[in-house]
Amino acid sequence: MKLEKDQTIPRATAKRLSLYYRIFKRFNAEQIEKASSKQIADAIGIDSATVRRDFSYFGELGRRGFGYDVKKLMNFFADILNDNSITNVVLVGIGNMGRALLNYRFHERNKMKIVLAFDIDQHPLVGTVSEDGIPILPISQLAEKVDEVKAQTAILSVPSVKAQEVADQLVEAGIKGILSFSPVNLSVPKDVVVQYVDLTSELQTLLYFMREN
């Protein structure tokens, strides 16, 4: 059960993969062995046709009329989301947002773990350790330390004017995936993936739909 070598899935489907994984983990914890597309859809808040279409990109995940094997699908999504092994993540930027992320315990929910944090050498927290034992280091040590912990994923939470400069440093250090909280488009090589989180935009979208309702 996997994509063909040259096959890609729509971005909207890709963004739902973690939701499917979460739902199957919940079903498994509730000792549900089989789940219909309607049950899955209702749990996520989409229609069952979307579930079936999403799953069709991965071949035969279930049989019509028999439902989906919860444990099998939980393990399947864990595999494609690389949640079978620990993913080391580095955080760059420990302002208000960065400190909140630093204290968010990703590893309690998934196998992702912030192992290092960085900021400018003069930042007062540089040289200290977070409450969870995460070293906060000067950004001048970025390349050296990223290599030591074998991290390929980074969270970027720096002022917009510094985002591209820091992204360049991350790429040079070997980072292949960046989750950016800076509201600017980053220029990176084709083999580096960037995912943007714009909280202001999300809040404005929420307010729009509230007015529409």
Side-chain angles (χ1 to χ4, degrees):
M1 293 187 297
K2 60 183 179 180
L3 290 171
E4 295 298 326
K5 184 177 180 181
D6 297 322
Q7 184 183 355
T8 57
I9 64 174
R11 188 173 183 84
T13 297
K15 293 181 76 171
R16 283 190 287 269
L17 297 181
S18 62
L19 297 179
Y20 290 131
Y21 180 39
R22 185 185 307 164
I23 291 304
F24 282 114
K25 284 203 297 183
R26 194 188 86 194
F27 286 168
N28 185 64
E30 294 172 354
Q31 298 185 330
I32 298 172
E33 296 182 359
K34 296 281 186 179
S36 68
S37 56
K38 186 178 187 309
Q39 285 176 290
I40 300 165
D42 288 347
I44 295 178
I46 57 178
D47 59 87
S48 55
T50 298
V51 172
R52 291 192 295 270
R53 184 172 61 250
D54 286 348
F55 287 8
S56 71
Y57 292 105
F58 302 96
E60 293 292 331
L61 296 187
R63 293 173 57 194
R64 190 175 184 84
F66 288 85
Y68 297 93
D69 184 307
V70 168
K71 191 167 186 178
K72 188 175 182 181
L73 269 292
M74 179 185 71
N75 292 333
F76 170 70
F77 284 108
D79 184 51
I80 63 175
L81 291 170
N82 196 35
D83 202 47
N84 287 318
S85 58
I86 296 293
T87 297
N88 286 342
V89 180
V90 298
L91 169 69
V92 182
I94 52 171
N96 292 333
M97 176 64 73
R99 287 196 295 275
L101 293 168
L102 197 60
N103 293 322
Y104 185 84
R105 299 186 175 184
F106 294 92
H107 60 280
E108 291 183 356
R109 298 161 180 83
N110 295 285
K111 293 184 179 179
M112 297 177 288
K113 183 179 181 181
I114 294 178
V115 292
L116 295 174
F118 297 89
D119 210 305
I120 58 172
D121 295 22
Q122 297 80 20
H123 194 287
L125 291 180
V126 164
T128 66
V129 177
S130 76
E131 292 179 5
D132 282 344
I134 302 169
I136 302 172
L137 304 172
I139 199 167
S140 57
Q141 297 180 16
L142 181 69
E144 172 193 351
K145 297 299 181 180
V146 164
D147 183 61
E148 283 183 12
V149 297
K150 308 299 181 186
Q152 291 190 310
T153 310
I155 299 174
L156 183 61
S157 177
V158 299
S160 299
V161 293
K162 289 291 185 180
Q164 185 61 57
E165 177 186 340
V166 176
D168 291 342
Q169 291 177 268
L170 288 170
V171 171
E172 189 174 345
I175 293 296
K176 295 299 181 183
I178 300 172
L179 180 65
S180 177
F181 283 83
S182 299
V184 293
N185 287 327
L186 301 174
S187 176
V188 297
K190 289 183 178 180
D191 64 339
V192 176
V193 179
V194 180
Q195 184 76 24
Y196 297 95
V197 180
D198 188 338
L199 296 180
T200 300
S201 176
E202 294 296 331
L203 182 57
Q204 288 173 333
T205 301
L206 170 65
L207 295 175
Y208 168 77
F209 283 117
M210 289 170 62
R211 287 194 297 270
E212 286 294 296
N213 287 335

